Amino acid sequence: MEANPRAARARLIREAAEALGFDLVRITNAEPLPAARRAIEERVALGFFEGMDWFTAERAAVSTDPRALLPTAQSVIALGTFYLTDAPRDLTVPGDPHGQISCYAWGDDYHDVIKARLRQLAARIQRIAADESGDDLAGATRIFVDTGRMVDRAVAERSGLGWFGKHTNILTRDWGSWLFLSEIVTTLDLEPDAAIAANCGHCTTCITACPTGAIVAPQVLDARRCISYLTIEHRGAIPLELRPLMGNLIYGCDICQQVCPVNHIVERRLRARDALGPGSAGETRRAMFVARPDVGASPALLPLLDLDEAGFREQFRHSPILRAKRRGLLRNVCVALGNLGDAVAVPRLARTLRSEPEALVRGHAAWALGMLGGPVAEEALMAASVREAVPEVLGEIGFALALLADQAESV
Ligand code: SF4
Ligand code: SF4
């Protein structure tokens, strides 16, 4: 063992993590993160996490204290895994409407990929501790990957992995913000890394680019307005005033990351090093995050309306998209079709309004028909207004018919 055993252990862990495919590895102590706790409590009080029932003040207390998760913890290892790969983001052409999927969800579910790596790294940590102490039970660990049980961004910031971008994601010099964050809390005493002195400066590009105004202040997100939240976590109807702002984003939203100049610099540099782009060495290494043929970055929208529950589960097996559930994804597809304005979708939306079993989807199909307009859409809405029994869907139909009346008046 080297003169400084904490540094020696940290070096062994860093090497093991890099060998397992983690792109960034930093270490911090296991002290609580009081600023993160205050920030969560404030945002819960302001209602910014409304609808995410798991975000409570109690959760804030636990997720910001590594020792609440592992009482004898001494260190937290913060890990970053770069996931960006290349694919055409929007394949929409007249007569063939397509949606857009956030690029973290193009491939296999990162929870599964990262968790498998974390388990291997945790085993390595236990071996290091056992070799040193002679105790096979030394080196306890807890692993976390984007479950909200640990404040991953606050840990990443304190460990020097990156800084808080104004878009609320962690930004790094080498990989931008296209990172899956994960952590290992351990009883092993490790030399901590220092936080980095970097910030966004005067840039506000992401704040002005956000289509729904969800970044209400630097580093403060009102999740209720964020397209990522609305398309993935939100279970009910999408607020009427936000639907037209969602474009054809059907699962997640990358806009605030796509416009970020730090990400632009990183992407240029990676392309020059053959670490980004189809067929590049980097994408071969990240093959599990490359767009799957059955998911795609920009799937055709109309066939998605044909998916029944079994078909949805089959098509999106091992994909993060399962999280939205079938009814959430089809709801988003209807909104995208309404926004794209392509009349080719009218007959399929009319069928959805007539025979789709989920009221939530029928309601959003009605809205889309109202947006698209025309005699076939109007006929479908009128017929549904007589047949439909669910009050929420009837409300959507009434709103859609009012949209059509407005359109007729303005011609
Ligand atoms: S993910 Fe999209 S909607 Fe959410 S803050 Fe970023 S740009 Fe706005
Ligand atoms: S767009 Fe500008 S303000 Fe927003 S995260 Fe990137 S550098 Fe920071």
Side-chain angles (χ1 to χ4, degrees), residues 284-360:
T284 305
R285 185 165 174 260
R286 294 187 294 281
M288 68 294 285
F289 303 135
V290 168
R292 285 177 14 180
D294 54 347
V295 177
S298 180
L301 290 174
L302 297 180
L304 291 175
L305 289 178
D306 292 331
L307 288 175
D308 60 11
E309 193 60 44
F312 171 76
R313 299 209 150 270
E314 176 60 26
Q315 180 162 339
F316 296 109
R317 192 147 36 117
H318 303 306
S319 155
I321 291 171
L322 284 179
R323 184 160 182 84
K325 305 196 183 305
R326 172 186 176 273
R327 67 175 173 279
L329 184 68
L330 269 58
R331 168 201 63 189
N332 304 340
V333 166
C334 291
V335 173
L337 287 169
N339 286 333
L340 284 172
D342 192 329
V344 74
V346 168
R348 187 62 192 83
L349 284 166
R351 177 143 61 95
T352 297
L353 180 58
R354 202 166 52 242
S355 54
E356 161 62 39
E358 291 283 354
L360 180 70

Side-chain angles (χ1 to χ4, degrees), residues 167-169 206 209-215 221 225-229 249 252-257:
H167 51 25
T168 75
N169 297 295
C206 54
C210 174
T212 54
I215 309 171
L221 183 78
R225 299 189 65 81
C226 176
I227 296 167
S228 256
Y229 165 74
L249 303 176
C253 167
D254 290 330
I255 292 171
C256 52
Q257 298 193 81

Side-chain angles (χ1 to χ4, degrees), residues 163-169 171 177 199-207 215 218 256-263:
W163 73 95
F164 254 107
K166 288 180 188 170
H167 51 25
T168 75
N169 297 295
L171 267 172
S177 59
N199 57 51
C200 292
H202 296 297
C203 179
T204 54
T205 305
C206 54
I207 297 176
I215 309 171
C256 52
Q257 298 193 81
Q258 281 172 304
V259 300
C260 176
V262 176
N263 280 341

Side-chain angles (χ1 to χ4, degrees), residues 234-248:
H234 182 58
R235 296 289 171 236
I238 292 176
L240 284 167
E241 72 279 12
L242 296 180
R243 293 180 199 174
L245 309 176
M246 292 170 58
N248 63 342

